[in-house]
Amino acid sequence: MKQCQNMDEVRAEIDRVDRLIVPLLLERLTYIAQAGHIKGDRDTVRDQWRIEDVVSKVKAEAEKLDGNTGYIEDIYRHLIEWSIAHEFVVWDDVNAEQKRTAR
């Protein structure tokens, strides 16, 4: 990690990190969409056990890196809720299409 000397350097490093994060978040979203295609029952989109499993894993990863686990947990809980909402949209679209083609 670079030790910045001024705000221009801080901003440049934040921008660099963001350029690394965004593709990973978009990749993650493609897997969320795949889940919306795979799950057979809308009631399985929200899986509380899986939510807690993911949060536990990312907090453990942050702890290994001596990072702020509260920060990571807050971000991931928001990310998961957004992902669940997106998966519901995908699930509904997929299943509405299946109903239309079944007629």
Side-chain angles (χ1 to χ4, degrees):
M1 182 180 325
K2 178 178 179 177
Q3 185 62 42
C4 298
Q5 302 303 311
N6 57 57
M7 283 308 299
D8 287 340
E9 289 181 5
V10 168
R11 290 179 180 130
E13 289 305 304
I14 289 171
D15 291 346
R16 179 187 63 78
V17 170
D18 287 343
R19 285 190 303 273
L20 296 170
I21 292 170
V22 168
L24 294 173
L25 289 172
L26 293 174
E27 179 181 352
R28 188 182 194 282
L29 190 60
T30 66
Y31 293 113
I32 299 300
Q34 287 182 38
H37 283 85
I38 292 169
K39 291 181 180 174
D41 184 342
R42 193 175 195 276
D43 291 339
T44 63
V45 170
R46 175 176 290 283
D47 181 344
Q48 197 60 41
W49 177 89
R50 177 63 178 152
I51 292 168
E52 297 309 319
D53 180 53
V54 170
V55 170
S56 174
K57 287 175 182 174
V58 297
K59 284 175 63 179
E61 189 63 26
E63 194 169 304
K64 279 195 287 186
L65 299 169
D66 293 324
N68 184 325
T69 59
Y71 171 72
I72 294 302
E73 179 174 3
D74 287 350
I75 288 169
Y76 265 83
R77 288 199 184 276
H78 181 77
L79 175 65
I80 290 167
E81 287 305 316
W82 198 99
S83 298
I84 290 168
H86 180 66
E87 189 178 334
F88 273 124
V89 169
V90 171
W91 193 96
D92 290 344
D93 287 348
V94 166
N95 287 281
E97 179 64 27
Q98 288 175 352
K99 286 179 184 176
R100 281 192 295 276
T101 58
R103 291 180 197 171

